């Protein structure tokens, strides 16, 4: 199957997912812009917790094909964790969509719960005073099973861009910034590209 037909098939599969709006293929120039913006975003403090490391965007930028799609409030994010807090190479926290787990950690004297993010040991926050390595807020790539299952596709991953990249992408693909409440990137490889 030709590359264009495969890409159209992927876009068709994405359009079946609730909460996904406009979808578009990104150019090599877009990739360079996104890479530069994400490098700057990684140097900034995320959520007041530490510097960023958007491993998801780094992963999708290496893909054969890179798509962007808009999302609205009906879109269901991939299962948690979508944010992982690391310190000295160890996981010290993450987001969760498990209400029972959040309640259990909220009742613990050692853990700290901020919205849907759990820091397993409050001592990790002492690093902000300079005693340890600072926290790293990792945004991991997430599998896109709806696309990965297509026979011509491999390594289909989703990535959540940083706020500046999200704004760039909205402006890049929309007439106005009101076309969706967010954006996601999808990168995938084509098997036997012809």
């Amino acid at each position: 199957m030709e590359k264009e037909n495969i890409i159209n098939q992927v876009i068709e599969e994405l359009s079946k997912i609730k909460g996904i709006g406009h979808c578009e293929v990104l150019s090599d120039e877009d990739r360079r812009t996104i890479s530069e913006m994400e490098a700057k975003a990684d140097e900034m403090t995320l959520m007041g917790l530490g510097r960023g490391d958007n491993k998801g965007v780094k992963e999708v930028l290496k893909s054969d094909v890179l798509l962007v799609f808009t999302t609205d409030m009906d879109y269901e994010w991939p299962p948690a964790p979508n944010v992982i807090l690391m310190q000295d190479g160890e996981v010290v926290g993450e987001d969760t969509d498990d209400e029972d787990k959040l309640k259990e950690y909220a009742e613990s004297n050692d853990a700290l719960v901020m919205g849907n993010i759990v820091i397993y040991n409050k001592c990790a926050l002492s690093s902000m005073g300079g005693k340890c390595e600072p926290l790293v807020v990792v945004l991991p790539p997430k599998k896109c099973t709806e696309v990965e299952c297509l026979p011509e596709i491999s390594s289909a991953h989703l990535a959540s861009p940083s706020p500046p990249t999200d704004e760039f992408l909205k402006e890049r693909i929309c007439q106005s910034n009101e076309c969706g409440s967010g954006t996601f990137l999808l990168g995938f490889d084509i098997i036997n590209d012809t």
Side-chain angles (χ1 to χ4, degrees):
M1 187 181 287
E2 290 184 17
K3 183 176 183 176
E4 187 176 331
N5 291 340
I6 294 169
I7 293 169
N8 288 335
Q9 187 179 10
V10 168
I11 291 172
E12 186 177 315
E13 288 302 311
L14 287 174
S15 71
K16 295 175 186 176
I17 300 172
K18 186 177 180 179
I20 290 183
H22 183 75
C23 186
E24 193 169 310
V25 178
L26 295 173
S27 69
D28 288 341
E29 184 178 334
D30 294 327
R31 286 179 193 253
R32 284 189 292 278
T33 301
I34 291 166
S35 179
E36 290 168 9
M37 294 181 84
E38 289 296 319
K40 288 178 185 172
D42 276 357
E43 296 305 314
M44 299 163 78
T45 300
L46 292 180
M47 300 182 288
L49 296 173
R51 71 172 183 80
D53 185 5
N54 198 330
K55 291 184 183 291
V57 172
K58 290 172 186 166
E59 180 70 24
V60 300
L61 286 174
K62 295 186 278 185
S63 302
D64 291 340
V65 179
L66 181 63
L67 300 176
V68 60
F69 59 86
T70 58
T71 60
D72 63 25
M73 297 302 285
D74 292 328
Y75 179 70
E76 287 189 35
W77 275 57
N82 291 299
V83 175
I84 300 170
L85 303 175
M86 304 283 296
Q87 187 176 54
D88 295 323
E90 301 283 325
V91 174
V92 296
E94 62 188 5
D95 70 322
T96 181
D97 45 19
D98 183 334
E99 293 296 326
D100 292 334
K101 193 175 183 181
L102 283 171
K103 185 178 178 183
E104 178 184 326
Y105 280 113
E107 294 170 356
S108 166
N109 289 332
D110 295 328
L112 176 65
V113 177
M114 299 179 301
N116 69 333
I117 295 178
V118 176
I119 296 177
Y120 301 126
N121 188 335
K122 292 177 188 175
C123 294
L125 296 177
S126 68
S127 70
M128 297 175 142
K131 296 177 185 174
C132 302
E133 286 291 316
L135 290 177
V136 178
V137 181
V138 176
L139 304 175
K142 304 298 286 192
K143 285 282 189 191
C144 184
T145 54
E146 296 88 349
V147 172
E148 182 89 21
C149 68
L150 297 173
E152 299 87 4
I153 302 298
S154 71
S155 303
H157 290 99
L158 294 169
S160 177
S162 67
T165 303
D166 176 67
E167 289 301 315
F168 161 75
L169 292 168
K170 286 179 192 174
E171 290 173 14
R172 160 72 177 73
I173 66 173
C174 301
Q175 299 296 328
S176 71
N177 204 3
E178 298 176 24
C179 71
S181 61
T183 58
F184 263 87
L185 294 168
L186 169 67
F188 59 90
D189 296 333
I190 297 177
I191 301 169
N192 298 326
D193 183 15
T194 57

